[in-house]
Amino acid sequence: MTEALLAYLLLGAFTGIMAGLFGVGGGLLIVPVLTGMLTGFGIATEQVVHIAIGTSLGTIVFTSLSSIRAHHRRGAVQWPLVRIMAPGIILGAILGALVAGQFDRNGLRTIFALFEFAVAIYLFLSPVPTPRANNMGKPLLIGTGGIIGMVSSLLGIGGGTMTVPFLVWNRVRVQEAVATAAACGLPIALAGVTGFMLVGLGRDDLPALATGYVYWPALAGIALTSILFAPVGAALAHRLPAQKLKKAFALLLVILGIKMLLS
């Protein structure tokens, strides 16, 4: 248990630095690495990918709270947008957890790996969304929130890779788009982790100290150090060559995606 807890703490520290450095949610790293860790520590259940995703969503609850606090202090969060999108996000996140429960381990890891490849391509190309006329009516915001919530919950991520481009496309300033996406990550994580706990209840092949598909020792270790080390990544972002590092991070995502497919 001591060795496992140390591994979770190290994963959280690395995830926090990467999230702060690139502005990409930790779930893209947590899910594939935690899947391998849990298997290595003897949790070789058929539901190991589900547990990694549910636990990842649990850590995002805490990291998003920390991020929201920092962004809110700067007045960057567009709370009216968050309030409108939240109902769709919550419903979508619950649906994502239900959909995840219908996949076996192989199907879920394939979906996750393909998404990692897509994000890697996005980071490598670094496209700048072209703003269009601002036409964010409530139906569009709620519907888009539902899609983002479902995909994010299904994959155990905070949704920033989708929310930020959508908001920038709708003429929200980049800084405010990032801050608002961080705020949207909280309802995604809360609804998603609740869904994964409920969907996994009653299964007889889960590890001790798990509630449904949420494994508490890993959640505690990862959340603790990811919160502490995220500011380190944010500080490094102002000193290091961001574009070159983004390409390196994209390569890391490709490697993790391939590992998920072959594991």
Side-chain angles (χ1 to χ4, degrees):
M1 178 60 74
T2 301
E3 179 185 351
L5 182 56
L6 178 60
Y8 301 144
L9 290 170
L10 290 173
L11 174 57
F14 180 68
T15 299
I17 291 173
M18 292 297 103
L21 187 59
F22 299 110
V24 175
L28 291 170
L29 295 174
I30 292 172
V31 173
V33 177
L34 184 57
T35 298
M37 282 184 176
L38 293 175
T39 303
F41 292 141
I43 303 177
T45 171
E46 173 65 26
Q47 311 303 317
V48 66
V49 180
H50 297 74
I51 295 171
I53 291 175
T55 303
S56 174
L57 288 166
T59 67
I60 293 170
V61 172
F62 299 95
T63 55
S64 64
L65 283 171
S66 177
S67 180
I68 290 168
R69 183 184 178 192
H71 287 299
H72 180 68
R73 282 179 173 177
R74 294 174 173 82
V77 180
Q78 293 292 305
W79 289 110
L81 293 179
V82 177
R83 284 192 289 269
I84 295 172
M85 294 179 71
I89 285 172
I90 292 170
L91 290 174
I94 293 172
L95 178 60
L98 295 174
V99 171
Q102 303 305 308
F103 285 96
D104 62 11
R105 176 176 58 185
N106 292 332
L108 203 53
R109 72 183 184 190
T110 299
I111 293 172
F112 187 90
L114 292 175
F115 186 80
E116 291 237 282
F117 296 150
V119 174
I121 293 171
Y122 177 82
L123 289 174
F124 190 83
L125 297 177
S126 297
V128 178
T130 302
R132 67 182 184 90
N134 191 329
N135 189 28
M136 291 193 295
K138 282 189 177 181
L140 175 63
L141 288 171
I142 294 173
T144 303
I147 294 171
I148 291 172
M150 183 178 70
V151 174
S152 300
S153 177
L154 176 64
L155 300 173
I157 62 176
T161 51
M162 294 174 284
T163 309
V164 173
F166 169 71
L167 293 176
V168 172
W169 184 55
N170 281 282
R171 295 190 178 277
V172 177
R173 291 193 311 117
V174 172
Q175 294 87 346
E176 294 179 349
V178 171
T180 304
C184 289
L186 182 59
I188 288 172
L190 285 171
V193 73
T194 301
F196 270 82
M197 283 193 289
L198 294 175
V199 170
L201 285 179
R203 296 199 61 95
D204 56 5
D205 55 348
L206 299 178
L209 302 178
T211 303
Y213 292 139
V214 177
Y215 186 50
W216 295 106
L219 191 157
I222 295 169
L224 175 63
T225 49
S226 63
I227 291 172
L228 293 176
F229 280 84
V232 176
L236 289 173
H238 296 282
R239 303 178 185 176
L240 300 175
Q243 289 304 315
K244 290 183 179 178
L245 286 173
K246 271 192 176 182
K247 289 178 172 55
F249 186 62
L251 179 60
L252 174 61
L253 292 182
V254 170
I255 293 171
L256 290 174
I258 293 173
K259 185 178 182 300
M260 281 287 282
L261 287 176
L262 297 180
S263 62

